[in-house]
C-alpha cells in the first residue's frame, strides 16, 4: 500500500513593501509648489529638494523632502513608504540637498527598524499636520509600541555631509 505524501504548503509571499504614490491632483500640485519654492530659496519648515541618481537609468531624480534634525543629526523620513526616491537613495548611498543655489552633497545610511521610533516621533511632532494622513492614525503622542509596530513601513536615513 502506497501512501501519498502530504502536499507541501505554498510559501507565504513576502509582504509588499508599503508605498503610497501621490494620487490626486492636489498631492501633485502641493509637491510641485514646494519644489518650486525650495528651488528658489524659500524653505518651508526645513524643506529641501533631494536629487539622487536613478538606480536603473542613472538619470538624476528630484523630489521635495522634509529635512529633520534630531540631537545634532539630520534625517530624511519617507512618510509614503518605499518610494522611488527611497529605492534610489538605498542604491546610490549619496545625494544632493538643495535650497535655492545652496547645494550640499550628502551620504545617506538607512537606520535599522529598531532605531527609527524616536526619529519618527519627532518627525510626526514637526510635520504631522502635513503628513499625518500617511501614518494611519499615528501621532507624536502614540506610544513607542504603536510606532515600532509600523516602523518597517517608514524608511529613515541619517545624512552626513560628504567630504
Amino acid at each position: 500500500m502506497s501512501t501519498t505524501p502530504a502536499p507541501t504548503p505554498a510559501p507565504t509571499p513576502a509582504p509588499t513593501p508599503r508605498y503610497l504614490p501621490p494620487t490626486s491632483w492636489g498631492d501633485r500640485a502641493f509637491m510641485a509648489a514646494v519644489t518650486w519654492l525650495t528651488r528658489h530659496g524659500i524653505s518651508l519648515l526645513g524643506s529641501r529638494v533631494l536629487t539622487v541618481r536613478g538606480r536603473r537609468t542613472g538619470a538624476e531624480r528630484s523630489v521635495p523632502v522634509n529635512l529633520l534634525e534630531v540631537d545634532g543629526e539630520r534625517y530624511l523620513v519617507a512618510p509614503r513608504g518605499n518610494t522611488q526616491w527611497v529605492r534610489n537613495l538605498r542604491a546610490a548611498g549619496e545625494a544632493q540637498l538643495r535650497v535655492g543655489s545652496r547645494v550640499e552633497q550628502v551620504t545617506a545610511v538607512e537606520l535599522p527598524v529598531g532605531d527609527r521610533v524616536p526619529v519618527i516621533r519627532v518627525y510626526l511632532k514637526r510635520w504631522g499636520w502635513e503628513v499625518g494622513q500617511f501614518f494611519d492614525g499615528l501621532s507624536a503622542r502614540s506610544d513607542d509600541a504603536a510606532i515600532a509596530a509600523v516602523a518597517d513601513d517608514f524608511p529613515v536615513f541619517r545624512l552626513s555631509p560628504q567630504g
Side-chain angles (χ1 to χ4, degrees):
M1 175 156 135
S2 88
T3 58
T4 313
T8 304
T12 304
T16 303
R18 180 180 177 281
Y19 170 49
L20 300 174
T23 55
S24 72
W25 179 87
D27 278 350
R28 288 185 177 90
F30 180 76
M31 288 173 57
V34 171
T35 299
W36 188 90
L37 288 167
T38 305
R39 281 187 192 270
H40 288 85
I42 302 169
S43 174
L44 303 175
L45 296 174
S47 66
R48 300 290 189 275
V49 174
L50 174 74
T51 302
V52 63
R53 292 223 175 265
R55 62 196 179 282
R56 287 184 260 174
T57 66
E60 290 187 341
R61 306 290 183 194
S62 296
V63 63
V65 294
N66 292 322
L67 181 62
L68 177 66
E69 188 170 324
V70 179
D71 298 329
E73 298 282 347
R74 296 181 314 154
Y75 299 93
L76 293 179
V77 176
R80 291 177 178 270
N82 197 38
T83 63
Q84 294 299 323
W85 73 258
V86 166
R87 295 176 210 173
N88 290 337
L89 192 54
R90 280 180 184 143
E94 61 185 21
Q96 292 180 343
L97 292 174
R98 175 184 302 271
V99 175
S101 62
R102 293 179 309 236
V103 178
E104 179 185 10
Q105 298 287 339
V106 295
T107 301
V109 175
E110 189 167 3
L111 292 185
V113 173
D115 295 345
R116 295 178 185 177
V117 171
V119 177
I120 291 172
R121 180 179 309 290
V122 174
Y123 187 84
L124 286 168
K125 191 177 290 186
R126 177 103 192 245
W127 289 292
W129 61 272
E130 177 188 346
V131 299
Q133 64 188 339
F134 308 126
F135 283 88
D136 300 326
L138 287 180
S139 75
R141 292 183 293 185
S142 297
D143 64 28
D144 285 353
I147 296 174
V150 297
D152 190 41
D153 290 339
F154 303 100
V156 176
F157 294 88
R158 180 182 299 116
L159 304 179
S160 304
Q162 277 187 358

